[in-house]
Amino acid sequence: MQPELRYSSRTAQTGLALGRNKVLRNTYWMLGLTMIPTLFGAMIGMSTNFAFLAQAPIMGPLVMLAVMMGLLFGVSATRNSMMGIALLFLFTFVAGWWLGPMLQYALHFKNGAQIIGTAAAGTGMIFFTLAGIATVTKKDFGFMQNFLFVGLVLLIIASVANLFFAVPAASLAISAVAVLLFSGFILFDVSRIVNGGETNYVMATMGIYLSLYNLFTSLLHLLLAFSGERD
């Protein structure tokens, strides 16, 4: 290879690496910022009266799922503009607010605040460990895509079905599977950024945020079931 071609190839590779690092850095910054509307939403959610859920235990979650899916499509459609960022923050605020019923339930336990903290710490530990593995090894975990997609579809179907049947054991099994599934999504999503498969930091942030959100709620559900101390 001629010196000019080698230099050109090396320059292109350096440019790609810098671009990937920029997407990863922007994603982490944006992910940190999304925690602000999430916390505000959660605080409002904890003081919201969710009595209407008792009257519509099935319809309420389904309506909220439809709202959040609509916001997701909105973020995807406007991902290259400031509107995409605004909708992302709106989505995280609504997601935080929707944590209200679960947080209210958790705080009825004597050790509820401790369990919430443990679930948050566990979520953070899992994220930093898996993100570190994907970043340091630079291994392409793209082979997990089909498995994760099928797993997600089955998890959604099982979750919707359990809204109607309300089987406690099934609910715990769904949460356990969700912990494994969304841990896999974290590894997959960070790997895509590191290896250049995802170049839009808004969509990258959305993907990782959804994994963290579902990972937290699933861990919280399991911890409440197995270590919650009722008053």
Side-chain angles (χ1 to χ4, degrees):
M1 181 181 290
Q2 295 180 357
E4 294 84 355
L5 293 178
R6 273 201 301 268
Y7 176 77
S8 177
S9 176
R10 192 180 302 117
T11 302
Q13 291 176 358
T14 301
L16 287 173
L18 290 174
R20 293 167 186 172
N21 289 338
K22 182 179 179 180
V23 173
L24 188 63
R25 184 172 62 251
N26 288 343
T27 298
Y28 286 156
W29 271 109
M30 187 63 67
L31 194 62
L33 291 175
T34 60
M35 295 300 115
I36 299 174
T38 301
L39 290 174
F40 274 115
M43 288 189 292
I44 294 174
M46 283 191 290
S47 60
T48 300
N49 184 355
F50 286 95
F52 65 92
L53 287 179
Q55 301 173 353
I58 296 175
M59 188 57 64
L62 290 178
V63 169
M64 180 52 62
L65 178 61
V67 170
M68 297 182 81
M69 288 297 292
L71 286 173
L72 281 174
F73 282 117
V75 172
S76 179
T78 58
R79 60 186 178 273
N80 294 315
S81 67
M82 290 300 296
M83 180 58 71
I85 296 175
L87 288 176
L88 174 62
F89 286 148
L90 177 60
F91 176 88
T92 58
F93 173 82
V94 173
W97 176 78
W98 189 240
L99 284 174
M102 193 171 196
L103 296 178
Q104 289 175 5
Y105 174 74
L107 292 175
H108 281 91
F109 289 80
K110 286 192 293 186
N111 59 340
Q114 179 184 348
I115 289 178
I116 292 172
T118 301
T123 300
M125 188 180 304
I126 292 172
F127 169 70
F128 286 115
T129 299
L130 296 177
I133 291 173
T135 303
V136 173
T137 65
K138 293 182 171 57
K139 179 178 174 61
D140 185 0
F141 289 93
F143 64 89
M144 299 172 63
Q145 183 173 6
N146 291 336
F147 170 78
L148 292 172
F149 178 74
V150 172
L152 180 61
V153 171
L154 293 176
L155 186 70
I156 292 173
I157 293 173
S159 299
V160 172
N162 204 47
L163 287 175
F164 294 91
F165 298 107
V167 180
S171 181
L172 291 175
I174 289 170
S175 291
V177 171
V179 169
L180 297 175
L181 183 66
F182 290 107
S183 294
F185 266 112
I186 290 173
L187 198 60
F188 172 74
D189 286 334
V190 176
S191 170
R192 285 191 70 217
I193 300 170
V194 171
N195 291 285
E198 179 59 77
T199 58
N200 185 284
Y201 67 88
V202 172
M203 295 306 297
T205 301
M206 175 61 82
I208 297 175
Y209 178 88
L210 285 171
S211 295
L212 292 175
Y213 184 89
N214 286 287
L215 184 57
F216 170 74
T217 56
S218 299
L219 283 175
L220 182 56
H221 183 209
L222 292 171
L223 288 170
L224 288 172
F226 291 110
S227 60
E229 298 175 4
R230 295 186 180 278
D231 290 329

